[in-house]
Amino acid sequence: MQDPIRTRCDNGILEVTIDRPKANAIDLATSRQMGLIFRDFRDNPDQRVAIVTGAGEKFFSAGWDLKAAADGDAVDGDYGIGGFGGLQELRDLNKPLICAVNGICCGGGLEIALSTDLIIAAAHATFALPEIRSGTVADAASIKLPKRIPYHIAMDMLLTGRWLNVEEAHRWGFVNEIVLADKLMDRAWELARLLASGPPLVYAAIKEIVREAEGTTFQTAMNKITKRQFATVDALYSSEDQLEGARAFAEKRAPIWKGK
C-alpha cells in the first residue's frame, strides 16, 4: 500500500509531500502521520526548514477526506499531534515552513497552507473554503483568515465558498509568490536553502514573538521581549550566535551559525 505521506531531507531541509490520489485529501490516519512528522521536525535540531506540498499537478490538497468521513471517520475525531494535518495546533514550532501549492488548495488544504509561514503557488493554483456547501465550518480558517487578509474578503470566502485564482490570492496577500508550475519546487528549495543558511535562534525568536503577540498588546509584547520573558529570546540573547552575528558584521564576513 502506498504511503500517503512522502518525505525527504537534504542539508537541513525537510520536504513533506501529501500523496493520496486523487485529491490528496486527508483522513484521520494520514493526519496523525503528519503530526508525527512535523513533531519530529520541530524537535530535530538538524532540520531547519520544511516544505509542504502535494503530489501531482492538480491538487495540493482538498483537505478533509469526505469519503473517509462517510465511512466513519468522525469530523471531531483524533487528528493526532498538532491537530488536522499536523500543523494547525502544533505547539512551539519555531522553524520556518514553506507551502508550495501545486494546484487546487481548498478546505483543510487551505488551512494547512495558512499554518505555514510562506506560501508560493503555481500559476494554475486555485483556493477556496467550500465547507459551507457541505454543511460544516472551516474552523481554523475562520480564526486565521480574517487576520491575514481584509475582513470582507475573508468573510466572502467563508460565507459563499467562492473560488479565488492565484492572482487574486496574491493580490489579497496570502500568497507570497506565483511561479510557473514546472519551476515551483525549484523555487521552494531555493527559498528553503536561503532560510536554512540563516540563524535558527533568530527564526525561533521571530516565530514565538509573532505567535504570542497576536493575542496581546504591543507594549505587553515589547515588555516580554526586553525582559527576556520569551524562552526563545532569552536563548538568543545568551547564545554564541548572538556574538557571532556581531563579530561577523564587524569583521565584514559571512556569519557561521551554530544554533547555540
Side-chain angles (χ1 to χ4, degrees):
M1 186 176 180
Q2 177 179 297
D3 194 331
I5 304 296
R6 292 188 279 109
T7 63
R8 73 181 179 107
C9 191
D10 182 57
N11 289 323
I13 300 167
L14 174 68
E15 181 183 280
V16 180
T17 303
I18 307 167
D19 190 2
R20 293 193 74 231
K22 301 178 180 178
N24 293 333
I26 297 168
D27 61 2
L28 290 177
T30 303
S31 180
R32 290 193 289 267
Q33 182 180 353
M34 293 174 73
L36 294 174
I37 289 168
F38 289 118
R39 179 203 63 186
D40 291 347
F41 165 70
R42 179 195 65 189
D43 296 341
N44 186 342
D46 294 327
Q47 294 181 355
R48 294 191 171 190
V49 182
I51 301 168
V52 187
T53 192
E57 296 182 354
K58 186 173 182 181
F59 281 92
F60 166 70
S61 175
W64 176 235
D65 188 338
L66 292 176
K67 291 183 179 178
D71 290 338
D73 267 13
V75 69
D76 59 349
D78 178 13
Y79 292 111
I81 297 167
F84 181 78
L87 283 177
Q88 290 185 160
E89 301 170 68
L90 186 60
R91 299 178 65 85
D92 301 323
L93 180 49
N94 293 328
K95 299 177 181 181
L97 293 164
I98 300 167
C99 186
V101 179
N102 53 302
I104 294 170
C105 178
C106 64
L110 179 50
E111 292 178 321
I112 290 171
L114 290 171
S115 298
T116 66
D117 303 303
L118 299 170
I119 301 175
I120 62 173
H124 67 285
T126 54
F127 303 84
L129 294 166
E131 281 87 345
I132 190 75
R133 298 172 187 172
S134 58
T136 190
V137 61
D139 46 14
S142 296
I143 297 167
K144 292 180 179 181
L145 197 61
K147 298 178 181 179
R148 308 288 178 81
I149 65 175
Y151 172 84
H152 295 100
I153 305 303
M155 293 304 289
D156 182 12
M157 293 181 68
L158 288 162
L159 295 173
T160 71
R162 79 172 179 91
W163 288 84
L164 274 62
N165 61 29
V166 72
E167 289 84 6
E168 184 173 4
H170 182 261
R171 185 164 73 246
W172 297 126
F174 68 84
V175 166
N176 295 85
E177 206 175 319
I178 303 172
V179 186
L180 293 175
D182 61 351
K183 302 294 184 184
L184 179 66
M185 294 313 296
D186 288 342
R187 177 55 182 150
W189 275 83
E190 179 184 30
L191 186 55
R193 282 190 289 269
L194 172 65
L195 294 174
S197 70
L201 296 181
V202 178
Y203 292 152
I206 290 169
K207 290 204 63 172
E208 184 177 26
I209 290 168
V210 169
R211 185 173 61 245
E212 296 299 321
E214 191 173 49
T216 188
T217 65
F218 171 81
Q219 197 58 58
T220 298
M222 282 299 298
N223 290 342
K224 290 188 72 174
I225 294 169
T226 57
K227 294 177 182 177
R228 295 170 62 156
Q229 292 176 347
F230 290 117
T232 55
V233 172
D234 186 50
L236 172 64
Y237 287 173
S238 304
S239 69
E240 293 180 31
D241 278 2
Q242 179 81 15
L243 294 174
E244 168 63 9
R247 287 176 182 146
F249 179 82
E251 296 168 9
K252 298 181 180 180
R253 60 173 174 82
I256 301 171
W257 306 119
K258 297 180 179 179
K260 59 183 182 180

